[in-house]
Amino acid sequence: MEKSAEGSCSASTEKMNTSGGNGQVLDGSGIMELVGNEEVFGSYVDHKFQELDRDRDGKLSLKELEPAVADIGAALGLPAQGSSPDSDHIYTEVLNEFTDHGKQEKVSKTEFKEVLSDFLLGMASGLQRDPIVILRIDGEDLLEFINGPDYEAEMVLLFSQLESPDGSSLHDHIVKVLEQLTVDQGMPPSSDSWVMSNLVERALQSCAAQDHGKPLSQETFLVEFKKVAERVAQHLKEQPVIVAHCENTFDGSGIKRLLCNKFELDKTLNTATENAPKDHNGKISREYLRVALDAIAPSAGLPPIGAIHEMDEVIGEVLKMMNADDGKLVKEDEFKKMLTEIMGSIMLQLECNPVSISSNTVVHEPLASSTTLLPPSS
């Protein structure tokens, strides 16, 4: 199953369509229907605009736009603003889209509607190509796994791979192995704090105390792990967990398609550079290459910078090789040529070493911090 970065794990932005098995799919259709219905979308924008327009002056200030920018960032799968310099500039770019790249301090309802429509249609397009699977984990698959024929062999392998320094407890071993289980085995990600406190830690209360004078035996581990897993399955039966499952493979094919279409490439490069800050001679700093590449990312099948660590490393190496941060000023044509060469280098690296990402995100609804700007799932 191949997914792209645009199919971000955000269940609050799209209608879920039933798919086969125990999953549902976010495929962009709900967003397309909303934006495509002028009357409904107009009413939706009116409501959201009034929510944001705190001083009721009929325009949105930069301060009033902040919740909208934060919601779009969350929908794109970005970390919270202020937590990563690599992704913070994306939030700045989103704000710039609303304010015509800093040329205005107030945004009208018409301008707000146009930008919001563009963002939503972009998200819908990504979801159409690469749907997100929404899973309801209720303990049945976990019970099937621990009672299945492959359980003992897999547990023995995982146990053998654990580092066992002196003083490491039975609890620690069980937690580490639970972290290795996936949604395929019926286990929601225990890296999620809610899963850890409400499922794992509760289940561990039934775990036998370990004699620290003796090394933990494989037999003891297998017996106690199964007890804990059964308790986790029982808790899941009582309170199922919803997980958004994404699989992304970046193999350079998106860049290749863009580079092979001269019309689309020229259009994309023009869009990426038209608002670039220029000196009095029309030259652009090479430091802007990173921002321009991020603007091109959706057209090239790349994730936003800061969203995926493995991709940041690939992109960072190429930018370093091209001396992208040296601040040198270059003519616009040379800037576009460099941007094209950077994409070509990234493509070659990904063709040789594709980056595959599988992520499972627990969907907490409702959340105080959940997105309020974008349409809810229905």
Side-chain angles (χ1 to χ4, degrees):
M1 177 165 55
E2 292 189 359
K3 305 281 183 245
S4 80
E6 293 134 316
S8 97
C9 290
S10 175
S12 60
T13 58
E14 173 56 14
K15 180 167 66 179
M16 293 185 286
N17 291 328
T18 302
S19 68
N22 65 343
Q24 293 179 302
V25 176
L26 305 184
D27 63 0
S29 61
I31 295 176
M32 296 294 285
E33 288 175 15
L34 172 68
V35 179
N37 188 318
E38 184 63 33
E39 182 179 349
V40 173
F41 187 58
S43 174
Y44 171 77
V45 170
D46 287 345
H47 175 68
K48 295 303 175 185
F49 191 89
Q50 289 176 15
E51 273 188 359
L52 294 168
D53 186 16
R54 298 294 185 183
D55 60 8
R56 297 292 184 264
D57 67 347
K59 288 183 178 291
L60 299 181
S61 66
L62 299 183
K63 184 71 174 176
E64 289 170 331
L65 279 168
E66 286 179 0
V69 173
D71 287 341
I72 289 173
L76 293 173
L78 297 177
Q81 192 169 10
S83 62
S84 168
D86 288 331
S87 59
D88 280 354
H89 75 88
I90 303 176
Y91 285 98
T92 301
E93 286 301 303
V94 171
L95 183 61
N96 284 341
E97 287 297 321
F98 282 110
T99 62
D100 192 17
H101 292 267
K103 295 176 184 175
Q104 54 194 58
E105 295 184 357
K106 293 273 188 174
V107 176
S108 69
K109 186 189 295 184
T110 299
E111 292 163 336
F112 176 75
K113 181 179 179 181
E114 289 175 357
V115 176
L116 182 57
S117 174
D118 287 343
F119 274 112
L120 290 176
L121 289 175
M123 290 173 60
S125 177
L127 285 167
Q128 282 181 324
R129 289 193 300 272
D130 306 293
I132 298 170
V133 179
I134 301 297
L135 303 171
R136 182 177 184 272
I137 301 181
D138 59 8
E140 288 187 12
D141 289 343
L142 183 57
L143 284 176
E144 183 178 337
F145 168 66
I146 62 179
N147 292 313
D150 300 326
Y151 167 74
E152 187 167 331
E154 288 199 39
M155 287 300 101
V156 168
L157 177 61
L158 290 173
F159 180 76
S160 68
Q161 293 172 344
L162 290 176
E163 295 180 6
S164 301
D166 293 339
S168 187
S169 69
L170 172 60
H171 283 206
D172 292 340
H173 281 80
I174 291 175
V175 169
K176 288 177 182 177
V177 171
L178 283 173
E179 290 173 350
Q180 300 299 312
L181 299 188
T182 68
V183 292
D184 292 333
Q185 293 148 326
M187 183 66 195
S190 55
S191 56
D192 181 87
S193 59
W194 187 94
V195 172
M196 176 58 69
S197 60
N198 290 275
L199 297 178
V200 176
E201 290 179 358
R202 281 179 64 195
L204 281 169
Q205 292 172 7
S206 66
C207 185
Q210 178 187 351
D211 183 351
H212 290 282
K214 299 179 181 178
L216 177 62
S217 70
Q218 177 179 291
E219 182 180 1
T220 299
F221 171 78
L222 291 175
V223 170
E224 296 301 327
F225 183 89
K226 190 167 187 176
K227 290 179 183 177
V228 171
E230 287 172 341
R231 289 290 298 273
V232 170
Q234 180 59 39
H235 295 324
L236 284 168
K237 183 179 180 180
E238 297 165 358
Q239 190 170 8
V241 171
I242 306 300
V243 173
H245 175 72
C246 309
E247 292 186 7
N248 306 302
T249 298
F250 304 99
D251 58 7
S253 58
I255 300 176
K256 189 172 186 178
R257 281 193 298 271
L258 180 60
L259 295 180
C260 289
N261 187 331
K262 188 176 186 305
F263 174 79
E264 192 64 31
L265 176 62
D266 290 344
K267 176 183 171 184
T268 303
L269 290 173
N270 288 336
T271 300
T273 57
E274 65 181 354
N275 292 305
K278 301 178 178 70
D279 72 353
H280 63 281
N281 293 317
K283 292 185 176 181
I284 307 171
S285 170
R286 283 161 43 151
E287 289 181 339
Y288 193 77
L289 283 166
R290 189 182 297 270
V291 176
L293 181 62
D294 212 44
I296 287 173
S299 300
L302 296 172
I305 293 175
I308 298 175
H309 174 70
E310 293 85 347
M311 285 299 299
D312 287 349
E313 289 187 337
V314 173
I315 294 170
E317 281 299 313
V318 172
L319 291 173
K320 183 178 179 181
M321 182 177 65
M322 298 291 291
N323 296 316
D325 297 321
D326 66 2
K328 183 180 178 182
L329 294 172
V330 296
K331 293 181 179 178
E332 185 172 327
D333 286 346
E334 185 180 347
F335 185 89
K336 290 179 179 178
K337 182 181 177 182
M338 291 184 66
L339 201 52
T340 304
E341 290 174 355
I342 287 170
M343 286 193 290
S345 296
I346 294 172
M347 179 189 72
L348 292 175
Q349 289 208 27
L350 293 175
E351 285 180 339
C352 295
N353 299 291
V355 174
S356 296
I357 303 295
S358 177
S359 64
N360 297 293
T361 306
V362 175
V363 178
H364 300 281
E365 294 185 339
L367 276 181
S369 61
S370 63
T371 180
T372 57
L373 173 68
L374 302 175
S377 57
S378 59

